[in-house]
Amino acid sequence: MKKKILELLRESEGFISGEKISEEFGVTRAAIWKNINSLKEDGYEIESISRKGYRLLSSPDILSYEEIKSYLSTQFTGRKIYYYDTIKSTNKMAKEIAHNEEEGVVIVAEEQLEGRGRLGRTWESPKKKGIYFSIILKPQVHPMKVSKLTLVGAAAVNLALEEMGVTSNIKWPNDILIKGKKVCGILTEMSSELNMINYVVMGIGINVNLDRNEIPEDLQDKATSLKIESKDEINRKKLMALILNKFEKFYLPFKEDGEILQAIEVCRKNSAVIGNEVQILNGSTKKLGRALDINDAGELVVEFTDGKIQSILSGEISIRGINGYI
Ligand code: ADP
């Protein structure tokens, strides 16, 4: 009922009378009053004047389905969204419910208390300053193919940012950078049998409207936000929807045959590592080389200092620049 009333308020140009809302939904005036109050508690600014009715003045900056759907053009991605004000981690929640949910379901939160990066590392997720969400996927392809899916997320974020007027680069396999600093991280997790995927959860965390002093001190030299770089507040609702739109477009071929050639092309074109000297960190081992390309399997092709050329599967590998983060 609350959602329907909100919809009606949105559609009407000026005031809409309580009587009309009653007629439309067959509910009492008292029930309407209750729902309007509940919307106000959610942050909707609603004017009410006796004999005129109700008018929506403004909507809150939140990432619920109702708020992003006008920007959404997907078939199934983000068509069902679980919205949380505060949560431990969207990936954690997604993994808990994935068995009983359809592909494309999204968990989004305004704040994560235990946001995660790879290998249990932390992802700082301050309230309403970023976009933190996870997508549940159920592709019927071999589990071996899943690690390259991260590149679908990376390409989607990169192109969505471009559409919002922000140029970024992709640090294979899971980070998005602006001028060498991290603005987004992607964490892909999977549950599978030997040759069958149960589900994949892809978590995406983006630093959107953080000011410089809101970036934790120990990350100052390697993290940034869209606001810091573009010197403008960014519309989080639109950005999240654009990412989901582009994600689905790149993901559809993967469902068909496990290929993601279009996404890989974007990752190649906007790569932060191709052509650069890099350190390849794998557990405690560190090797030096030069990143040559990303092949059609989504692997990073590296020429090591001994002249050997090798393709690296994303897995748990981290890339660093020779003198710093990249
Ligand atoms: P890496 O980039 O080191 O391979 P991950 O991709 O797993 O690691 O990302 C986790 C790391 O990102 C953390 O260890 C921390 O250094 C950094 N980090 C944590 N929160 C943020 C954030 N909000 N923005 C940018 N970087 C962050």
Side-chain angles (χ1 to χ4, degrees):
M1 178 54 53
K2 192 162 118 185
K3 285 177 189 170
K4 285 185 184 162
I5 292 177
L6 176 61
E7 205 64 10
L8 204 60
L9 286 171
R10 247 199 246 284
E11 282 164 11
S12 44
E13 294 281 301
F15 282 91
I16 179 157
S17 68
E19 198 180 348
K20 202 150 174 223
I21 304 177
S22 298
E23 273 169 22
E24 186 91 19
F25 302 128
V27 290
T28 63
R29 301 288 280 272
I32 295 169
W33 180 244
K34 229 176 103 186
N35 280 296
I36 294 277
N37 277 339
S38 172
L39 283 169
K40 283 182 182 168
E41 272 166 28
D42 293 345
Y44 291 90
E45 213 185 329
I46 299 167
E47 188 180 17
S48 49
I49 295 184
S50 56
R51 280 198 297 276
K52 274 185 153 181
Y54 303 100
R55 182 163 69 134
L56 182 63
L57 295 178
S58 72
S59 300
D61 178 25
I62 60 171
L63 300 173
S64 62
Y65 180 67
E66 281 65 40
E67 288 304 314
I68 73 160
K69 73 174 177 201
S70 65
Y71 301 106
L72 212 56
S73 62
T74 56
Q75 297 167 32
F76 59 91
T77 312
R79 288 297 168 184
K80 180 174 180 188
I81 295 184
Y82 287 95
Y83 170 81
Y84 295 88
D85 189 48
T86 300
I87 202 172
K88 279 190 178 167
S89 134
T90 59
N91 261 32
K92 190 163 182 258
M93 175 59 80
K95 286 187 283 181
E96 278 168 24
I97 65 168
H99 268 297
N100 299 318
E101 293 292 344
E102 303 264 311
E103 166 154 279
V105 167
V106 165
I107 318 294
V108 63
E110 300 297 357
E111 169 186 50
Q112 295 185 109
L113 301 175
E114 294 173 14
R116 286 276 163 264
R118 298 184 307 162
L119 300 169
R121 290 185 277 239
T122 306
W123 188 262
E124 300 291 338
S125 317
K127 194 160 199 171
K128 287 195 172 176
K129 295 289 176 179
I131 298 176
Y132 321 112
F133 67 94
S134 300
I135 313 173
I136 294 172
L137 302 166
K138 300 194 166 175
Q140 297 302 305
V141 303
H142 195 277
M144 283 280 286
K145 297 203 165 194
V146 164
S147 70
K148 69 178 171 186
L149 251 189
T150 302
L151 301 182
V152 168
V157 173
N158 174 256
L159 289 193
L161 289 180
E162 196 63 50
E163 205 169 317
M164 299 289 288
V166 183
T167 297
S168 63
N169 291 109
I170 298 167
K171 177 173 162 276
W172 182 96
N174 73 320
D175 294 320
I176 309 292
L177 312 180
I178 299 178
K179 294 189 200 128
K181 287 185 170 183
K182 187 157 27 169
V183 76
C184 164
I186 300 171
L187 173 64
T188 309
E189 299 184 271
M190 167 173 72
S191 155
S192 77
E193 310 298 325
L194 266 183
N195 51 17
M196 195 194 87
I197 292 169
N198 296 323
Y199 61 79
V200 175
V201 163
M202 186 181 300
I204 298 182
I206 310 171
N207 301 331
V208 183
N209 290 324
L210 291 92
D211 289 313
R212 173 143 327 271
N213 61 8
E214 290 169 318
I215 305 256
E217 213 155 286
D218 56 324
L219 295 178
Q220 289 274 344
D221 58 335
K222 62 173 178 180
T224 189
S225 78
L226 300 177
K227 186 178 174 191
I228 294 169
E229 298 304 325
S230 67
K231 301 185 176 54
D232 230 342
E233 281 287 309
I234 297 281
N235 180 339
R236 294 189 311 143
K237 303 174 192 182
K238 182 172 178 189
L239 177 56
M240 176 164 161
L242 288 182
I243 294 169
L244 294 174
N245 293 346
K246 291 179 196 304
F247 178 88
E248 187 173 285
K249 189 176 134 250
F250 289 132
Y251 176 67
L252 283 173
F254 184 79
K255 273 173 75 67
E256 287 295 311
D257 58 9
E259 296 299 331
I260 54 158
L261 298 177
Q262 283 174 293
I264 289 173
E265 192 49 42
V266 173
C267 292
R268 248 183 225 131
K269 248 176 84 184
N270 301 320
S271 172
V273 294
I274 294 177
N276 290 354
E277 305 292 322
V278 289
Q279 308 178 53
I280 311 289
L281 313 178
N282 189 2
S284 57
T285 65
K286 183 182 350 181
K287 279 172 90 178
L288 296 185
R290 197 160 67 89
L292 299 180
D293 197 5
I294 299 169
N295 66 21
D296 286 351
E299 299 158 342
L300 188 70
V301 184
V302 178
E303 180 178 12
F304 288 98
T305 36
D306 61 5
K308 278 200 188 111
I309 295 180
Q310 222 180 316
S311 304
I312 303 172
L313 197 68
S314 64
E316 306 278 59
I317 277 165
S318 294
I319 304 282
R320 293 285 182 273
I322 294 298
N323 299 314
Y325 188 59
I326 191 70

